[in-house]
Structures are given as structure tokens and as C-alpha cells.
Amino acid sequence: MVEIPAPVSVLVVEDEPAIATAVAQRLTAEGWNVEVARDGLSALTAAARLRPDVVVLDVMLPGIDGLEVCRRLQAEQPVPVLMLTARDDETDMLVGLGVGADDYMTKPFSMRELVARLKALVRRVERAAQVAASQVAEPPITAGDVVIDRAQRRVTRGDAEVHLTPTEFDLLVMLASSPRTVLTRERLLAEVWDWADASGTRTVDSHIKAVRRKLGAELIRTVHGVGYAFEPPTSDER
């Protein structure tokens, strides 16, 4: 008997009724189970009950704002989060990534692109679970005092564990697997985010900044107009 996979469950947290309804209708049309929360407290309650596969989370919410909601969600039950921001402000984006968001979009946004990004988030989590369940353990990658454990999806620097979101981890592994090789933003979008759209290259840039802030700017070199390269310390070369 063929097992039919359960539909993806999505929690949409948005206090603007028109946007919440439009997003819910579109995701329902994709065959996903959707629930809508209108404020931060309701979102946390719904998330604890639903255990959603992915969350669409507006930053500006009544009561507890989206950043605090995201921080609490990741502390209680790590889940992929796509944040919606009202302003195209890189500072806001970096703050969102810093509290555990995996991706972000700025209002107004394309519904088609929203669906594509959410599908990519879900695929990435499924792929990570398959790798974790695999009996083939990939050796850690070491760069100076940074150790990237691909099998356990953990990163340490010195004696301290560094928390990376699933997206940040996959981005770091992609770069570290080809040290000193320049990878274009477009390739990173295709390989890490599972979608190729030149308009999303700022997403790559913001995630790179978040990783640098956690692990040090010297590990990832910017090649202006092209992309990025992982640069392990020279002393690590054999």
C-alpha cells in the first residue's frame, strides 16, 4: 500500500485581513493546510498546537511583534520561518535573520514568488532530514577554530556551539565544500534556496552577512559583481 504524504501545514501570521486572506487562499489552492493568526500571542498558541511545517510571519504585529514571535518559536520548536517586512530595509532583514528567520520578503510581494520560496524551505528541511537519517556520515569540515559537522548539522567555533538557521547552515556548507572557489549568487540561489531568480540575490547577501556576524567576516570573501568564496585560514592548508 502506497503511503500518501501528509499535506504541508502552514501557519500564516498577518494582521492585515486582505493580505492574510490572499496568502491563505493561494496556499490552500496549492493543497496545503493553512491556519491564520492575527497577532503574536495567537501565533505562539497556534504553533504549539499545530506544529506547522513552515511559518509565514509578518514583522509588524499587535502585541508581541514578529521578531519576538520568531525568537520564541525557534527556542521552543525550530521551524522554517519566512518573514514579511513592510520596509525594504537591510537592517530589518538582518535582525530578522538574527532571530532565526530563514528567508524574508518585502511587501508588496509576488504571490508566485512567495509560494516558490515556501516550497524551497520545505524541500530543504526534508532534504536535511534525509541526510540526517542516512547511514553515510560525511566528515566534518575544519577551518581554523571553526568545525562544520555535516552529519549532525552543528557548527562550533572553539569550544562554543554557534547557532545557524537551516538556511545559513546549508549556505555555509555549500561554500565550505568548495574552498577558495568563487560561487555566484545565482548558483547559491539555485543550490541552497532551490530557486533561481536574479531578484533574490539580495537574499543571498543578507544571509552571508548573518553568517559572517556569527563566525567572522574573514571566512567568506566577497568577489564583487560575482559572488562569494570560502577562505579557510592558510595554516589549515595541508
Side-chain angles (χ1 to χ4, degrees):
M1 182 176 180
V2 178
E3 184 177 345
I4 300 175
V8 174
S9 63
V10 189
L11 176 61
V12 177
V13 188
E14 171 62 66
D15 65 324
E16 296 185 38
I19 296 177
T21 299
V23 171
Q25 289 178 344
R26 178 57 186 269
L27 297 182
T28 299
E30 294 290 328
W32 293 3
N33 291 334
V34 183
E35 183 158 329
V36 175
R38 305 288 186 178
D39 58 68
L41 283 175
S42 298
L44 293 171
T45 300
R49 173 172 49 83
L50 293 171
R51 297 283 178 174
D53 296 307
V54 66
V55 176
V56 179
L57 178 61
D58 188 26
V59 172
M60 300 299 293
L61 293 170
I64 302 174
D65 68 16
L67 297 174
E68 180 60 22
V69 170
C70 186
R71 186 180 292 110
R72 295 190 191 185
L73 283 176
Q74 302 303 356
E76 294 293 327
Q77 50 173 85
V79 60
V81 173
L82 186 149
M83 299 202 81
L84 301 177
T85 64
R87 295 184 301 166
D88 191 12
D89 187 317
E90 190 169 56
T91 300
D92 288 351
M93 298 170 188
L94 287 173
V95 171
L97 297 175
V99 297
D102 292 277
D103 204 352
Y104 64 84
M105 293 185 71
T106 305
K107 299 177 182 179
F109 54 85
S110 158
M111 202 67 71
R112 179 189 64 82
E113 185 173 340
L114 174 68
V115 171
R117 292 200 189 194
L118 289 175
K119 286 182 176 179
L121 280 177
V122 172
R123 283 196 302 269
R124 188 155 61 250
V125 171
E126 291 173 346
R127 191 166 60 234
Q130 291 170 358
V131 170
S134 172
Q135 296 301 310
V136 180
E138 296 180 298
I141 299 171
T142 301
D145 63 347
V146 174
V147 178
I148 307 166
D149 188 330
R150 291 176 285 183
Q152 297 188 45
R153 292 184 67 84
R154 296 176 59 198
V155 177
T156 55
R157 183 166 196 178
D159 296 327
E161 184 168 352
V162 180
H163 172 73
L164 298 182
T165 68
T167 302
E168 291 168 355
F169 183 86
D170 289 344
L171 178 59
L172 179 63
V173 168
M174 180 74 185
L175 289 164
S177 297
S178 302
R180 298 187 175 85
T181 301
V182 180
L183 302 183
T184 66
R185 292 174 174 83
E186 290 75 18
R187 181 178 174 186
L188 291 171
L189 274 174
E191 298 286 344
V192 177
W193 278 264
D194 282 347
W195 57 281
D197 185 339
S199 68
T201 54
R202 282 195 63 194
T203 297
V204 177
D205 296 342
S206 295
H207 278 80
I208 289 289
K209 288 185 179 181
V211 173
R212 282 172 167 163
R213 190 173 64 248
K214 296 177 181 181
L215 294 176
E218 69 280 358
L219 273 183
I220 302 176
R221 174 170 59 93
T222 300
V223 181
H224 293 289
V226 183
Y228 299 96
F230 186 77
E231 295 288 337
T234 304
S235 60
D236 283 348
E237 292 183 3
R238 298 290 185 264

